[in-house]
Amino acid sequence: MQIYFDESGDFNTARNAAYKFAFVVGIILPDRALQGLKADFDWFVGQLSSNEFRQGEPKGALLSLTHRQVLLEILKAHSDVMLIPLSVNLGFNDPSFFATAPARIRSLIENNLKTESSSMTIRERAALAKRFGRLSAPVMARLVSYGIAVLKAIESIACRYYCDQFRSDYDPITLIFDRTGRARNREELLLEDSLFGWIANWSRTVPLRIPTSLDESHPLLAKYGERKSERWTFDLNKMLKGKILFQDSKTQWLIQLADFAANTWAQTIGDYEGKNGFRELFLELYRKSALPDATPLGVVAPTDKTEVVSAPEYLEVFARMAHGVRKILPCE
């Protein structure tokens, strides 16, 4: 099973706004869906006009409204393929939270270097601390947002791909991100080294969402599950170690597809007043969303708080649109 991620919008923190959104979208697909989806993707790209390309590459930001509608029809035709659409609120915290986060994380790691760790040596953790200390606030916000997206994607595999037909797809589970610079740069190394720790730490307070119908006999839990405090969780090192990849959108069509989906989600949520024709795409996106029905907008925030907060009132139009709509689910 493969999960491809891309983002839309900038991750600069908001100075005076309570809400300022960037967007991350993941695409989950089992290997069996690749061949058919690739054929439809190639056909779709062949329909695009020249002004929907930049330097020979099709770009989500340049897609026409009509072609976005066609794209969603293609996604709907592939019931095995689902989206992880997140709306990341960068206005939830004061900008100083992001500005000071890299130094605070570096200090925390360095102050705990003597603590035993089965996953990283002291030298590796010291290098990790230095990498964190050099991050800018926007990069920090983007990496944490990717971490949240991965958490939601793992939960979605358990909740949406639990049925017998996917039992052979749990090994391997691979995460692929859009490469933003040279190979093995600081951001890539940080995401690889920190992802498991972030999710494990978050899930101590808010446990991973795993259906109660799954037990130790289910292949997903038999392979990756572990019991902690009477709850099932996942051993993320076992699940994902060595399976986090970075690829260039110029050569990877699935990163291009993630770009199309991320920008379409961003344009749709941004058109909450319905002035530009994008708002009506929401229902089709929602039907392909692997997120819980109770969180139709996927609003999250990079923060050290764990309480549930409501989306802004002006986005309630989307929740009303989604009410009672059935999703296209791979196990139904």
Side-chain angles (χ1 to χ4, degrees):
M1 192 165 286
Q2 304 176 48
I3 313 170
Y4 288 79
F5 297 92
D6 203 1
E7 81 272 358
S8 184
D10 70 77
F11 286 80
N12 293 314
T13 53
R15 294 192 175 277
N16 300 307
Y19 300 103
K20 191 265 185 179
F21 287 100
F23 304 90
V24 174
V25 172
I27 298 180
I28 305 178
L29 69 158
D31 288 349
R32 74 190 69 196
L34 276 172
Q35 184 174 355
L37 186 61
K38 179 63 163 69
D40 285 346
F41 177 86
D42 289 344
W43 174 86
F44 175 74
V45 171
Q47 307 306 304
L48 300 181
S49 62
S50 59
N51 58 8
E52 292 171 290
F53 289 77
R54 182 182 300 133
Q55 296 180 345
E57 180 183 349
K59 286 293 187 181
L62 302 178
L63 293 182
S64 69
L65 176 58
T66 298
H67 282 147
R68 293 175 198 270
Q69 293 168 331
V70 173
L71 175 70
L72 294 179
E73 290 301 315
I74 289 173
L75 289 175
K76 284 164 54 183
H78 294 269
S79 61
D80 289 358
V81 178
M82 297 209 78
L83 304 178
I84 305 294
L86 297 186
S87 306
V88 184
N89 181 16
L90 299 169
F92 186 77
N93 286 294
D94 184 273
S96 63
F97 173 84
F98 298 98
T100 61
R104 285 188 284 115
I105 295 174
R106 175 176 182 170
S107 178
L108 180 65
I109 296 172
E110 290 178 339
N111 289 338
N112 288 279
L113 286 178
K114 294 182 180 179
T115 303
E116 290 293 327
S117 171
S118 59
S119 58
M120 298 181 74
T121 66
I122 291 177
R123 177 177 289 183
E124 288 170 338
R125 283 182 284 154
L128 179 66
K130 290 180 180 178
R131 292 189 189 112
F132 266 114
R134 297 177 185 135
L135 288 183
S136 66
V139 171
M140 183 75 213
R142 184 167 63 84
L143 292 181
V144 173
S145 299
Y146 270 143
I148 297 171
V150 170
L151 182 152
K152 299 296 183 183
I154 292 168
E155 289 183 333
S156 295
I157 290 174
C159 294
R160 304 299 193 187
Y161 291 87
Y162 56 82
C163 50
D164 290 352
Q165 71 190 74
F166 297 110
R167 293 190 170 209
S168 62
D169 294 304
Y170 303 139
D171 186 14
I173 295 171
T174 308
L175 308 179
I176 304 97
F177 298 90
D178 183 22
R179 172 162 281 149
T180 58
R182 59 180 177 80
R184 309 299 295 163
N185 62 35
R186 183 188 305 141
E187 293 180 32
E188 292 185 7
L189 294 173
L190 272 173
L191 201 58
E192 288 179 3
D193 291 339
S194 306
L195 193 58
F196 311 133
W198 283 346
I199 295 176
N201 187 55
W202 297 335
S203 60
R204 289 190 188 102
T205 306
V206 182
L208 284 166
R209 191 170 53 94
I210 299 175
T212 55
S213 58
L214 270 60
D215 58 26
E216 63 269 18
S217 67
H218 191 277
L220 190 61
L221 290 182
K223 186 164 187 64
Y224 305 117
E226 56 182 358
R227 296 281 288 186
K228 287 188 176 180
S229 303
E230 301 305 313
R231 288 180 177 270
W232 280 106
T233 187
F234 290 119
D235 182 336
L236 297 179
N237 273 300
K238 186 183 293 185
M239 180 186 286
L240 299 174
K241 190 72 172 179
K243 298 164 188 169
I244 300 175
L245 307 174
F246 300 85
Q247 296 179 353
D248 194 324
S249 64
K250 290 184 175 63
T251 57
Q252 174 50 262
W253 66 274
L254 281 161
I255 293 290
Q256 293 175 15
L257 183 59
D259 168 52
F260 296 170
N263 188 268
T264 299
W265 180 254
Q267 296 286 354
T268 300
I269 300 302
D271 188 30
Y272 55 88
E273 293 182 314
K275 294 180 177 179
N276 301 315
F278 293 101
R279 187 175 70 182
E280 300 312 309
L281 301 178
F282 177 75
L283 279 186
E284 309 310 321
L285 288 161
Y286 172 76
R287 294 183 70 195
K288 294 300 297 178
S289 170
L291 299 180
D293 296 355
T295 56
L297 300 179
V299 174
V300 298
T303 177
D304 55 4
K305 302 180 178 68
T306 56
E307 69 266 23
V308 176
V309 296
S310 299
E313 186 176 347
Y314 64 82
L315 295 182
E316 281 299 310
V317 60
F318 295 111
R320 292 193 295 270
M321 291 172 67
H323 183 70
V325 174
R326 287 180 59 85
K327 292 187 175 184
I328 301 171
L329 300 174
C331 285
E332 291 184 2

